Amino acid sequence: MDTPNNPAPPVFETAPATDVGSQLAGLLALVANGDQQAFADFYRLTSRRVYGMAKRVLIDPDLSEDATQEVFMQVWQGAAKFDSSAGSPMAWLMTIAHRRAIDRVRAVQAASDREARYGAASQDPDHDVVAEEVGTNLEAEAVSRCLGTLTETQQESVRLAYYGGLTYREVAEKLGAAVPTIKSRIRDGLLRLKTCLGVG
């Protein structure tokens, strides 16, 4: 499933809001059955609103674009969870968008805090770049599924570093391995995760 690279401004129909809501609900039902054209139409009609919500929270255009893509990935994967009795399709979508943007803010803050704590212990810039993409761009279940594709040693090293919050040195001490070996395992493991998850 492909999503557009950038949240292009949608062409809104001049139909009443109730008609748009019905149209979006119908598209979501089709998306739930894997209809890619319906997903493209849903994206076209709603991406500007989602991007606007993300940008109000995140300010940064690049982060806002990333968050927008995450929202629509969640729509693609979870359209069947939409419940029309709980609210309109747009309200459902905006709730997802707001949560994603807030999660992004928290992830960026957590990354900043982690960098401040462990910056002196690790001089490897690849560590933070790849970890942030894996840690913030993807659904937890997808990450869990893809972790299963790693070797046992890679899984153990990645889990200790990113779920246990340990530095390279601490992971090395815990596993009785050299720091360069641990760095290599984690880097290779994260690259495999990126491939599995389809991250850039």
Side-chain angles (χ1 to χ4, degrees), residues 70 73-74 77 81 100 103 133-148 158-159 162-163 193 196-197 199:
E70 291 170 13
M73 182 61 71
Q74 186 169 343
Q77 294 173 341
K81 296 177 184 174
R100 279 286 174 184
D103 286 347
E133 286 184 346
V134 172
T136 63
N137 288 357
L138 305 156
E139 295 291 335
E141 63 237 23
V143 173
S144 179
R145 174 177 52 79
C146 286
L147 274 171
V158 169
R159 286 183 191 279
Y162 295 103
Y163 292 101
L193 278 177
C196 175
L197 293 160
V199 177

Short mmCIF file of all heavy atoms in Angstrom, two decimals, residues 70 73-74 77 81 100 103 133-148 158-159 162-163 193 196-197 199:
data_model
loop_
_atom_site.label_atom_id
_atom_site.label_comp_id
_atom_site.label_asym_id
_atom_site.label_seq_id
_atom_site.Cartn_x
_atom_site.Cartn_y
_atom_site.Cartn_z
N GLU A 70 1.86 8.93 9.36
CA GLU A 70 1.56 7.94 10.39
C GLU A 70 0.06 7.81 10.62
O GLU A 70 -0.47 6.71 10.81
CB GLU A 70 2.25 8.34 11.70
CG GLU A 70 3.76 8.23 11.66
CD GLU A 70 4.41 8.85 12.87
OE1 GLU A 70 3.71 9.16 13.84
OE2 GLU A 70 5.64 9.04 12.84
N MET A 73 -1.38 5.87 7.78
CA MET A 73 -1.01 4.46 7.92
C MET A 73 -1.94 3.79 8.93
O MET A 73 -2.41 2.66 8.72
CB MET A 73 0.45 4.34 8.37
CG MET A 73 0.93 2.90 8.48
SD MET A 73 0.88 2.00 6.93
CE MET A 73 2.22 2.78 6.05
N GLN A 74 -2.24 4.50 10.02
CA GLN A 74 -3.15 3.94 11.02
C GLN A 74 -4.56 3.79 10.46
O GLN A 74 -5.25 2.82 10.75
CB GLN A 74 -3.17 4.84 12.27
CG GLN A 74 -3.98 4.25 13.41
CD GLN A 74 -3.78 4.99 14.71
OE1 GLN A 74 -2.84 5.75 14.88
NE2 GLN A 74 -4.69 4.78 15.64
N GLN A 77 -4.59 0.71 8.30
CA GLN A 77 -4.54 -0.53 9.10
C GLN A 77 -5.76 -0.71 9.99
O GLN A 77 -6.11 -1.83 10.35
CB GLN A 77 -3.27 -0.55 9.95
CG GLN A 77 -2.00 -0.63 9.14
CD GLN A 77 -0.74 -0.47 9.98
OE1 GLN A 77 -0.78 0.03 11.10
NE2 GLN A 77 0.39 -0.88 9.43
N LYS A 81 -11.99 -0.20 12.60
CA LYS A 81 -12.29 0.20 13.99
C LYS A 81 -13.19 1.43 14.07
O LYS A 81 -13.66 1.78 15.14
CB LYS A 81 -10.98 0.47 14.74
CG LYS A 81 -10.11 -0.76 14.89
CD LYS A 81 -8.80 -0.42 15.57
CE LYS A 81 -7.89 -1.64 15.64
NZ LYS A 81 -6.57 -1.31 16.16
N ARG A 100 -1.48 11.38 17.55
CA ARG A 100 -0.20 11.16 16.88
C ARG A 100 0.74 12.34 17.08
O ARG A 100 1.93 12.18 17.32
CB ARG A 100 -0.42 10.95 15.39
CG ARG A 100 -0.84 9.55 15.04
CD ARG A 100 0.34 8.63 15.16
NE ARG A 100 -0.08 7.27 14.96
CZ ARG A 100 0.71 6.22 15.07
NH1 ARG A 100 1.96 6.39 15.40
NH2 ARG A 100 0.26 5.02 14.89
N ASP A 103 1.97 12.31 20.59
CA ASP A 103 2.97 11.24 20.72
C ASP A 103 4.31 11.69 20.15
O ASP A 103 5.37 11.38 20.69
CB ASP A 103 2.51 9.97 19.99
CG ASP A 103 1.40 9.24 20.73
OD1 ASP A 103 1.15 9.57 21.91
OD2 ASP A 103 0.78 8.35 20.13
N GLU A 133 13.55 6.93 14.07
CA GLU A 133 12.64 6.52 13.01
C GLU A 133 11.87 5.28 13.42
O GLU A 133 10.67 5.20 13.22
CB GLU A 133 13.42 6.25 11.72
CG GLU A 133 13.90 7.51 11.04
CD GLU A 133 14.59 7.24 9.72
OE1 GLU A 133 14.93 6.07 9.46
OE2 GLU A 133 14.79 8.21 8.97
N VAL A 134 12.57 4.32 14.00
CA VAL A 134 11.91 3.09 14.41
C VAL A 134 10.98 3.35 15.59
O VAL A 134 9.86 2.86 15.63
CB VAL A 134 12.95 2.00 14.79
CG1 VAL A 134 12.27 0.80 15.41
CG2 VAL A 134 13.72 1.58 13.55
N GLY A 135 11.47 4.14 16.55
CA GLY A 135 10.70 4.34 17.78
C GLY A 135 9.48 5.21 17.63
O GLY A 135 8.54 5.07 18.41
N THR A 136 9.46 6.12 16.64
CA THR A 136 8.36 7.07 16.60
C THR A 136 7.50 6.98 15.35
O THR A 136 6.40 7.49 15.36
CB THR A 136 8.87 8.52 16.71
OG1 THR A 136 9.71 8.81 15.60
CG2 THR A 136 9.63 8.71 18.00
N ASN A 137 7.95 6.33 14.31
CA ASN A 137 7.19 6.33 13.07
C ASN A 137 6.26 5.14 12.93
O ASN A 137 5.53 5.07 11.97
CB ASN A 137 8.14 6.34 11.87
CG ASN A 137 8.81 7.68 11.71
OD1 ASN A 137 8.54 8.59 12.46
ND2 ASN A 137 9.67 7.80 10.74
N LEU A 138 6.33 4.18 13.80
CA LEU A 138 5.67 2.92 13.53
C LEU A 138 4.80 2.43 14.67
O LEU A 138 5.02 2.74 15.82
CB LEU A 138 6.76 1.89 13.23
CG LEU A 138 7.66 2.36 12.11
CD1 LEU A 138 9.00 1.70 12.20
CD2 LEU A 138 7.02 2.14 10.79
N GLU A 139 3.84 1.65 14.29
CA GLU A 139 2.94 1.05 15.27
C GLU A 139 3.70 0.02 16.10
O GLU A 139 4.54 -0.71 15.59
CB GLU A 139 1.79 0.34 14.55
CG GLU A 139 0.88 1.25 13.78
CD GLU A 139 0.04 2.13 14.67
OE1 GLU A 139 -0.19 1.75 15.83
OE2 GLU A 139 -0.35 3.20 14.22
N ALA A 140 3.32 -0.06 17.39
CA ALA A 140 3.99 -0.99 18.30
C ALA A 140 3.87 -2.43 17.83
O ALA A 140 4.81 -3.22 17.91
CB ALA A 140 3.42 -0.85 19.71
N GLU A 141 2.69 -2.80 17.31
CA GLU A 141 2.53 -4.19 16.88
C GLU A 141 3.39 -4.52 15.67
O GLU A 141 3.89 -5.62 15.54
CB GLU A 141 1.06 -4.50 16.59
CG GLU A 141 0.47 -3.71 15.45
CD GLU A 141 -0.76 -2.93 15.88
OE1 GLU A 141 -0.92 -2.64 17.08
OE2 GLU A 141 -1.55 -2.60 14.99
N ALA A 142 3.56 -3.54 14.78
CA ALA A 142 4.40 -3.77 13.61
C ALA A 142 5.85 -3.95 14.02
O ALA A 142 6.56 -4.81 13.51
CB ALA A 142 4.27 -2.61 12.62
N VAL A 143 6.28 -3.13 14.99
CA VAL A 143 7.65 -3.25 15.50
C VAL A 143 7.84 -4.62 16.14
O VAL A 143 8.84 -5.30 15.91
CB VAL A 143 7.97 -2.13 16.52
CG1 VAL A 143 9.33 -2.37 17.16
CG2 VAL A 143 7.94 -0.77 15.84
N SER A 144 6.84 -5.03 16.94
CA SER A 144 6.94 -6.32 17.61
C SER A 144 7.03 -7.46 16.59
O SER A 144 7.84 -8.38 16.73
CB SER A 144 5.70 -6.52 18.51
OG SER A 144 5.76 -7.76 19.14
N ARG A 145 6.21 -7.38 15.53
CA ARG A 145 6.24 -8.41 14.49
C ARG A 145 7.60 -8.45 13.82
O ARG A 145 8.18 -9.51 13.60
CB ARG A 145 5.14 -8.11 13.46
CG ARG A 145 5.17 -9.03 12.25
CD ARG A 145 4.01 -8.72 11.31
NE ARG A 145 3.92 -7.32 10.93
CZ ARG A 145 4.68 -6.74 10.02
NH1 ARG A 145 5.61 -7.42 9.39
NH2 ARG A 145 4.53 -5.46 9.73
N CYS A 146 8.13 -7.27 13.51
CA CYS A 146 9.41 -7.21 12.80
C CYS A 146 10.59 -7.58 13.69
O CYS A 146 11.62 -8.03 13.19
CB CYS A 146 9.60 -5.82 12.19
SG CYS A 146 8.54 -5.56 10.74
N LEU A 147 10.44 -7.38 15.00
CA LEU A 147 11.51 -7.82 15.90
C LEU A 147 11.75 -9.33 15.75
O LEU A 147 12.87 -9.80 15.91
CB LEU A 147 11.16 -7.50 17.35
CG LEU A 147 11.53 -6.10 17.85
CD1 LEU A 147 10.92 -5.85 19.22
CD2 LEU A 147 13.02 -5.90 17.89
N GLY A 148 10.68 -10.04 15.41
CA GLY A 148 10.80 -11.48 15.24
C GLY A 148 11.65 -11.89 14.06
O GLY A 148 12.05 -13.05 13.94
N VAL A 158 18.80 -5.04 20.90
CA VAL A 158 17.86 -3.95 20.60
C VAL A 158 16.88 -3.75 21.75
O VAL A 158 16.60 -2.62 22.15
CB VAL A 158 17.11 -4.23 19.28
CG1 VAL A 158 15.95 -3.26 19.09
CG2 VAL A 158 18.06 -4.13 18.09
N ARG A 159 16.37 -4.84 22.29
CA ARG A 159 15.41 -4.72 23.41
C ARG A 159 16.05 -4.05 24.63
O ARG A 159 15.45 -3.19 25.26
CB ARG A 159 14.88 -6.10 23.80
CG ARG A 159 13.88 -6.68 22.82
CD ARG A 159 13.35 -8.02 23.31
NE ARG A 159 12.61 -8.72 22.30
CZ ARG A 159 11.35 -8.48 21.98
NH1 ARG A 159 10.69 -7.53 22.61
NH2 ARG A 159 10.75 -9.17 21.04
N TYR A 162 16.64 -0.19 23.60
CA TYR A 162 15.52 0.70 23.32
C TYR A 162 14.30 0.47 24.19
O TYR A 162 13.49 1.38 24.36
CB TYR A 162 15.18 0.65 21.83
CG TYR A 162 16.34 1.21 21.07
CD1 TYR A 162 17.23 0.38 20.40
CD2 TYR A 162 16.62 2.56 21.11
CE1 TYR A 162 18.34 0.89 19.76
CE2 TYR A 162 17.74 3.08 20.48
CZ TYR A 162 18.58 2.24 19.81
OH TYR A 162 19.68 2.75 19.20
N TYR A 163 14.15 -0.72 24.73
CA TYR A 163 13.06 -0.93 25.67
C TYR A 163 13.58 -0.86 27.10
O TYR A 163 12.87 -0.44 28.01
CB TYR A 163 12.37 -2.27 25.41
CG TYR A 163 11.63 -2.28 24.10
CD1 TYR A 163 12.17 -2.89 22.98
CD2 TYR A 163 10.39 -1.65 23.97
CE1 TYR A 163 11.49 -2.88 21.76
CE2 TYR A 163 9.72 -1.64 22.76
CZ TYR A 163 10.27 -2.27 21.66
OH TYR A 163 9.61 -2.25 20.47
N LEU A 193 15.06 -3.84 10.93
CA LEU A 193 13.73 -3.38 11.33
C LEU A 193 13.20 -2.36 10.34
O LEU A 193 12.03 -2.39 9.94
CB LEU A 193 13.78 -2.75 12.74
CG LEU A 193 13.74 -3.69 13.93
CD1 LEU A 193 13.86 -2.88 15.22
CD2 LEU A 193 12.47 -4.52 13.94
N CYS A 196 12.05 -4.12 7.22
CA CYS A 196 10.80 -4.85 7.47
C CYS A 196 9.62 -3.91 7.56
O CYS A 196 8.53 -4.18 7.07
CB CYS A 196 10.95 -5.66 8.77
SG CYS A 196 9.43 -6.51 9.27
N LEU A 197 9.83 -2.76 8.22
CA LEU A 197 8.74 -1.81 8.45
C LEU A 197 8.55 -0.84 7.29
O LEU A 197 7.63 -0.03 7.30
CB LEU A 197 9.04 -1.02 9.74
CG LEU A 197 9.01 -1.87 11.01
CD1 LEU A 197 9.75 -1.19 12.13
CD2 LEU A 197 7.58 -2.15 11.42
N VAL A 199 10.53 1.66 6.38
CA VAL A 199 10.92 3.03 6.69
C VAL A 199 12.03 3.44 5.72
O VAL A 199 12.99 2.71 5.53
CB VAL A 199 11.46 3.14 8.13
CG1 VAL A 199 11.93 4.55 8.42
CG2 VAL A 199 10.39 2.74 9.12
#
